[in-house]
Amino acid sequence: MTGAHLVQAPSPSENYETFFNGLWKQNPVFVQVLGMCPTLAVTNSVRNALAMGAATLFVLVCSNMLISLVRKRVPKQVRIATYILIIATFVTIVDYLIKALSIAVYKALGPFIALIVVNCMILGRAEAFASRNPPGKAILDGLGMGLGFSFALLCLGAVREVLGAGTFLGVPLFGPRFQPWVLFLLPPGGFLTLALWLLVFRAWQSRKERKQEQWRAAA
Amino acid sequence: MNNQSLGHIFIDALLINNFVLSVFLGICPFIGVSAKLATAWRMGVAVIFVTLVSSLLAYGTNALLVVLNAEYLRIISFIVIIASTVQLVEMFIKKTSPALFRALGIYLPLITTNCAVLGVALFQTSRQYDFAQSVVFAAGASFGFTIALVLMAVIREKLELSDIPDTVRGTALVLLLAGILSLAFMGFSGMGVES
C-alpha cells in the first residue's frame, strides 16, 4: 500500500527533509512549543519519558497514515471531528496495550495516556501535514515528529532524573553521599527544566544566525 | 465509592493540586492566552462553563457505558461530549453576546483541545466520584485553572515594561515564571488532610 505511494513520491532528498524536519528543525517541543502537558507531567524519570514518547510516536504515525488515506473522502466541515475520532481510537488501543504490557508503566503514566488525545501536536500534524500529503510522506512526517517529541522528552527526563534523584534509568550515578535535588522531581522542576532547555535552544539558534550574518557581511 | 468531603475535594482541586501548576493540565492555553488580563479572564470564564457542562454530561455517559459494558468507548465518547459542548457554547455566545464572541475569537474552539477539560472528565471517573463530588471537583478544577491564568496574565502585563534580554523573552520567560508560581503553590500542599 505504501509502496505504490512511495513510487509517486518525489525525490528521496525531499523524504529525507520531511523526516528530519520534525526531528530537529521543527522540533515539536523545543521549536514549536506544542504538546506541553505530557512533556512536563511525565518527565520525572527517563523510563516514563521513553514510555510516553513511544506511545505518542505510535499514535502519531498511525493517525497520520489513516488521516492521509481518508483525506479526500472527508468533507471539510467535519474534518476536525473526524481527526479527533481517529486519534481517540488509536489512543484507546495504546491505553489497553500499555495496560497489557506493563502495569507499572500504566500506573506511572496514569491519565496522561488517555490525554494523548488532546496533545495539540498530533492534531496539528493531522491538519497541517497528513490532510495534504500522500500516506508515505505522512508516515515519514509522523516518524520524524514523534521521534523529535521523544527526543525532547528524553532531554527533560534525563536532566530531571539525574538532578532530582541522582540516577539514570534507575541506576545510581553518584556515590552514597549525593544529596538529591528533589525540587526537580516536583512540578516546579518541570517548568524550570523546560525553560532551561528552551533558553539553550534559543541561545544556540541566535548564535548561529549572528554567525551567518557576519559571514554574509564579510562576503 | 470515594468518601472525601465536598469541601476537601474543592480545595484540593483549586489550590493543593492546582490543575495548571501541579498536575500540568491546560498548559497550552496557559502559555498562549495569558498575555493580556482581559482575554485571560474571558478565557477562564469560558473554560469554567465548558468544564462544568461537560463534567455533568461525562458523568451521565459514563454511567450509561458501565450499564452497557462498553467502557472501552470512554475516551472517544468523552472527547465527543467536549467537542459538542464547545460547539454549543460557541453558538450560545454568538447568539447572546456577539461582542464577547469576537473577543474570544479563536480561543473558543481551542477549548476542545484543552486537556484540563478532558482531565476533569477522566479524573472524576477514575476516582469514582459520585454526582455531587463530580460537580464540585469540576468547579474547583476550572476555578483553579482561571486563578492560575489570571495570575500569570497580571505578572506578564507588569513585565511588558521591564528590560529583559531578547533570548529570555517569550515562552522561556513564561515557563520560568510558571516555575516560580508553582513553587509558591507547593506551599498549599501542607493543607492536604488525608491522603
Side-chain angles (χ1 to χ4, degrees):
Chain A
M1 168 202 69
T2 51
H5 284 283
L6 278 175
V7 173
Q8 306 169 0
S11 57
S13 71
E14 200 166 312
N15 285 332
Y16 177 86
E17 194 154 324
T18 308
F19 180 69
F20 278 94
N21 225 355
L23 208 58
W24 190 251
K25 241 190 263 164
Q26 289 291 321
N27 187 293
V29 175
F30 293 139
V31 182
Q32 301 186 54
V33 201
L34 288 175
M36 286 293 103
C37 303
T39 310
L40 291 164
V42 298
T43 51
N44 47 16
S45 77
V46 175
R47 196 191 60 170
N48 287 355
L50 285 178
M52 188 62 180
T56 312
L57 177 69
F58 172 80
V59 174
L60 188 58
V61 170
C62 294
S63 66
N64 254 11
M65 180 188 77
L66 193 58
I67 287 166
S68 167
L69 281 175
V70 299
R71 70 185 189 280
K72 284 177 188 148
R73 311 227 165 112
V74 179
K76 206 163 172 275
Q77 295 85 350
V78 293
R79 69 184 195 289
I80 300 284
T82 317
Y83 299 162
I84 286 211
L85 276 183
I86 289 174
I87 294 168
T89 312
F90 285 114
V91 170
T92 310
I93 293 173
V94 158
D95 195 61
Y96 279 89
L97 200 67
I98 292 182
K99 211 193 256 178
L101 287 175
S102 159
I103 284 289
V105 172
Y106 185 78
K107 285 214 173 108
L109 295 181
F112 279 95
I113 303 168
L115 284 170
I116 297 176
V117 182
V118 281
N119 187 330
C120 24
M121 175 193 73
I122 297 178
L123 191 63
R125 286 334 282 172
E127 168 75 5
F129 199 92
S131 60
R132 286 164 205 178
N133 287 286
K137 268 182 102 176
I139 291 175
L140 266 182
D141 176 73
L143 272 176
M145 284 286 163
L147 286 176
F149 185 72
S150 310
F151 168 71
L153 288 189
L154 187 66
C155 286
L156 273 142
V159 169
R160 288 180 72 182
E161 194 182 333
V162 167
L163 290 180
T167 58
F168 187 83
L169 276 168
V171 183
L173 290 181
F174 311 106
R177 302 197 42 196
F178 175 73
Q179 193 76 45
W181 203 354
V182 185
L183 177 74
F184 274 87
L185 292 186
L186 296 171
F191 285 116
L192 296 176
T193 316
L194 185 56
L196 213 84
W197 274 113
L198 283 180
L199 280 182
V200 168
F201 252 68
R202 280 279 285 279
W204 185 70
Q205 245 172 3
S206 60
R207 213 181 113 213
K208 210 170 82 179
E209 271 162 29
R210 228 176 306 137
K211 264 201 185 143
Q212 271 174 348
E213 235 161 71
Q214 272 171 6
W215 188 77
R216 231 174 281 141
Chain B
M1 269 302 144
N2 198 312
N3 50 10
Q4 284 172 312
S5 76
L6 293 182
H8 182 244
I9 289 175
F10 185 75
I11 297 293
D12 188 87
L14 184 73
L15 298 173
I16 304 169
N17 283 313
N18 183 283
F19 256 44
V20 178
L21 296 170
S22 40
V23 196
F24 297 121
L25 292 172
I27 304 285
C28 298
F30 179 64
I31 294 172
V33 200
S34 61
K36 289 226 159 43
L37 181 58
T39 8
W41 188 239
R42 289 197 194 104
M43 178 71 176
V45 174
V47 167
I48 290 175
F49 190 77
V50 173
T51 310
L52 281 174
V53 175
S54 62
S55 157
L56 284 178
L57 291 175
Y59 184 81
T61 312
N62 186 52
L64 188 71
L65 286 181
V66 169
V67 170
L68 292 176
N69 212 354
E71 282 103 333
Y72 57 88
L73 284 177
R74 197 174 277 153
I75 300 174
I76 295 181
S77 45
F78 282 0
I79 198 76
V80 170
I81 288 172
I82 292 168
S84 27
T85 313
V86 170
Q87 195 77 54
L88 224 108
V89 171
E90 204 177 335
M91 275 149 57
F92 178 76
I93 294 182
K94 202 175 184 178
K95 205 83 181 160
T96 52
S97 158
L100 180 61
F101 182 76
R102 269 194 302 275
L104 281 173
I106 179 76
Y107 301 123
L108 205 52
L110 279 182
I111 298 178
T112 313
T113 48
N114 182 338
C115 35
V117 182
L118 183 62
V120 167
L122 288 169
F123 275 127
Q124 75 183 22
T125 315
S126 70
R127 294 181 191 166
Q128 302 187 310
Y129 285 153
D130 63 23
F131 184 72
Q133 283 172 325
S134 298
V135 175
V136 169
F137 176 65
S142 51
F143 287 170
F145 174 81
T146 310
I147 288 179
L149 195 64
V150 168
L151 275 178
M152 180 54 90
V154 173
I155 301 175
R156 279 180 77 176
E157 282 199 346
K158 288 249 180 232
L159 279 181
E160 198 95 309
L161 299 170
S162 38
D163 192 18
I164 303 164
D166 268 350
T167 321
V168 187
R169 216 173 256 288
T171 321
L173 179 68
V174 181
L175 285 166
L176 277 176
L177 290 172
I180 298 169
L181 265 181
S182 163
L183 263 180
F185 266 69
M186 267 177 66
F188 289 117
S189 60
M191 286 168 67
V193 196
E194 66 251 276
S195 57

